[in-house]
């Protein structure tokens, strides 16, 4: 969301929907971190396009985390039932976990940049050899 778009704050009736959205984003982010971490051993299995998409999606997710934070604060400003308070507390906890996880995805994406199949294909034999030695993957 850029500064030109106004946020549509949600009524309390949307608590279950927002709860599901945050929980789904958290589960997807956990899975994506594991996938990217596995790719660290074989970064050439990724294309630049893969990393570009992850960067775009998770940069946008950072914006949603900020919106969720604002939404949670607005909901807390009204009188809540104990059940509503409990669900909002869970959304808040999930959202708090989502922020560093999103940053972790973006950091891994940046680590993988320059190591994709396109980058490998542009390397000279000397560069490939030096890279293999630096990674400890060169075979005698």
């Amino acid at each position: 969301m850029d500064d030109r778009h106004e946020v549509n704050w949600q009524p309390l009736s949307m608590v279950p929907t927002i709860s599901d959205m945050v929980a789904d984003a958290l589960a997807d982010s956990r899975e994506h971190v594991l996938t990217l971490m596995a790719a660290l051993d074989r970064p050439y299995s990724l294309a630049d396009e893969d990393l570009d998409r992850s960067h775009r999606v998770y940069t946008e997710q950072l914006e949603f985390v900020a919106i969720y934070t604002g939404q949670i604060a607005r909901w807390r400003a009204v009188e809540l039932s104990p059940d509503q308070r409990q669900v909002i507390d869970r959304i808040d906890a999930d959202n708090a976990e989502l922020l560093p996880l999103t940053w972790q995805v973006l950091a891994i994406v940046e680590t993988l940049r320059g190591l994709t199949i396109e980058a490998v294909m542009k390397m000279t034999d000397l560069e490939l050899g030096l890279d293999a030695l630096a990674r400890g993957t060169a075979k005698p």
Side-chain angles (χ1 to χ4, degrees), residues 114-115 118-128 131:
L115 303 172
E118 289 92 349
V120 170
M121 296 303 292
K122 291 177 187 175
M123 289 181 170
T124 65
D125 289 344
L126 177 61
E127 291 170 323
L128 283 170
D131 184 60

Side-chain angles (χ1 to χ4, degrees), residues 40-60:
L40 288 170
D41 291 336
R42 298 178 40 197
Y44 49 81
S45 65
L46 296 172
D48 289 342
E49 184 178 299
D50 299 325
L51 297 179
D52 292 344
R53 181 180 182 285
S54 288
H55 185 269
R56 184 176 58 254
V57 167
Y58 285 87
T59 298
E60 185 175 301

Side-chain angles (χ1 to χ4, degrees), residues 59-78:
T59 298
E60 185 175 301
Q61 183 165 289
L62 282 175
E63 296 172 9
F64 277 103
V65 168
I67 291 170
Y68 297 144
T69 300
Q71 182 63 70
I72 291 163
R74 287 176 178 267
W75 283 334
R76 288 188 190 280
V78 300

Side-chain angles (χ1 to χ4, degrees), residues 46 69 81 84 86-87 95 99 103 115-116 123 125 128 130:
L46 296 172
T69 300
S81 72
Q84 289 171 324
Q86 183 179 15
V87 173
N95 195 50
L99 180 61
W103 280 114
L115 303 172
T116 61
M123 289 181 170
D125 289 344
L128 283 170
L130 291 173

Side-chain angles (χ1 to χ4, degrees), residues 11-23 75 87 90-91:
L12 282 171
S13 62
M14 291 298 290
V15 166
T17 302
I18 301 297
S19 177
D20 289 345
M21 290 170 62
V22 174
W75 283 334
V87 173
R90 189 178 70 246
I91 296 170

